[in-house]
Amino acid sequence: GQNIDQPTEMTATEGAIVQINCTYQTSGFNGLFWYQQHAGEAPTFLSYNVLDGLEEKGRFSSFLSRSKGYSYLLLKELQMKDSASYLCAVRDYDDYKLSFGAGTTVTVRA
Amino acid sequence: EPEVTQTPSHQVTQMGQEVILRCVPISNHLYFYWYRQILGQKVEFLVSFYNNEISEKSEIFDDQFSVERPDGSNFTLKIRSTKLEDSAMYFCAINPAPTSTQGGLTYEQYFGPGTRLTVT
């Protein structure tokens, strides 16, 4: 099975940087995903890490350490529209299904 | 990003009734998934479908649930006798062909817009 932990809530100011941590304990690992989810909407794919290190995509970066069972999502130059829930998900080795954490609600304030 | 549509967007049904939720991926994919999200809770895996067969199912996916690809394109989730606790958002997801990145092959998974099921 999968055990995935991330903080429940975070608050930051517009223009600032926020780092969302995710730790996991899994029986099989084949990649870690980050999704953004606005209230009432579907998860939207943000990033995917399968190797250790940092993946950068514009204002969003994601880091993975497989030996530590740890990842983070870094959001830079925060905008009001970044207020959402951010979901950490681990992919199973066999059939690629995803196991999700409970999500971190990020609130961006002016 | 591959396009996935789901119908209906919102379904209201009475307890004990059957519902069929539909997913239509725009292009062919190998793996299909159904997930659900009860309001205020995390996204939960229900079932994966590969090569026209169930690949894996969770403990949630009991005998009242079934999946199929009736015409080779639509991917459906049927709930035979709905219960109040089946009220949730149901998401279909797909794995497109892997893309090459600096880290190797990237296997992304994309979600459809979801169907909100309300059981009264």
Side-chain angles (χ1 to χ4, degrees), chain A residues 52-92:
Chain A
D52 290 350
L54 189 68
E55 292 279 342
E56 297 189 79
K57 261 190 185 182
R59 294 190 297 115
F60 295 173
S61 303
S62 57
F63 171 84
L64 175 67
S65 169
R66 289 171 295 171
S67 62
K68 295 181 180 177
Y70 168 70
S71 173
Y72 67 73
L73 179 70
L74 195 68
L75 314 180
K76 293 178 272 192
E77 300 169 18
L78 281 172
Q79 301 174 8
M80 300 299 287
K81 67 179 182 179
D82 297 329
S83 292
S85 184
Y86 291 84
L87 315 181
C88 173
V90 172
R91 190 172 69 187
D92 185 81

Side-chain angles (χ1 to χ4, degrees), chain B residues 3-38:
Chain B
E3 202 170 324
V4 182
T5 62
Q6 290 185 242
T7 58
S9 57
H10 190 188
Q11 173 93 47
V12 181
T13 189
Q14 289 189 329
M15 197 167 51
Q17 295 297 304
E18 175 183 285
V19 294
I20 298 176
L21 312 181
R22 291 183 172 81
C23 171
V24 184
I26 299 304
S27 51
N28 284 328
H29 303 285
L30 288 176
Y31 277 98
F32 299 84
Y33 308 83
W34 283 102
Y35 294 85
R36 80 172 185 189
Q37 187 176 31
I38 295 170

Side-chain angles (χ1 to χ4, degrees), chain A residues 33 35 37 40-45 48 50-51 55 57 87 91-92 94-103, chain B residues 1 31 33 35 37 42-43 45 48 55-56 89 91 95 103-114 116:
Chain A
F33 289 72
Y35 287 86
Q37 187 178 32
E41 297 183 6
T44 303
F45 173 81
Y48 165 77
V50 67
L51 300 177
E55 292 279 342
K57 261 190 185 182
L87 315 181
R91 190 172 69 187
D92 185 81
D94 290 325
D95 75 344
Y96 306 146
K97 73 175 187 290
L98 298 181
S99 297
F100 283 83
Chain B
E1 183 171 316
Y31 277 98
Y33 308 83
Y35 294 85
Q37 187 176 31
K42 67 179 181 180
V43 177
F45 167 77
S48 57
S55 174
E56 188 171 345
M89 283 288 288
F91 297 110
N95 276 5
L105 290 178
T106 293
Y107 295 84
E108 298 168 355
Q109 190 165 124
Y110 295 98
F111 284 71
R116 179 175 299 283

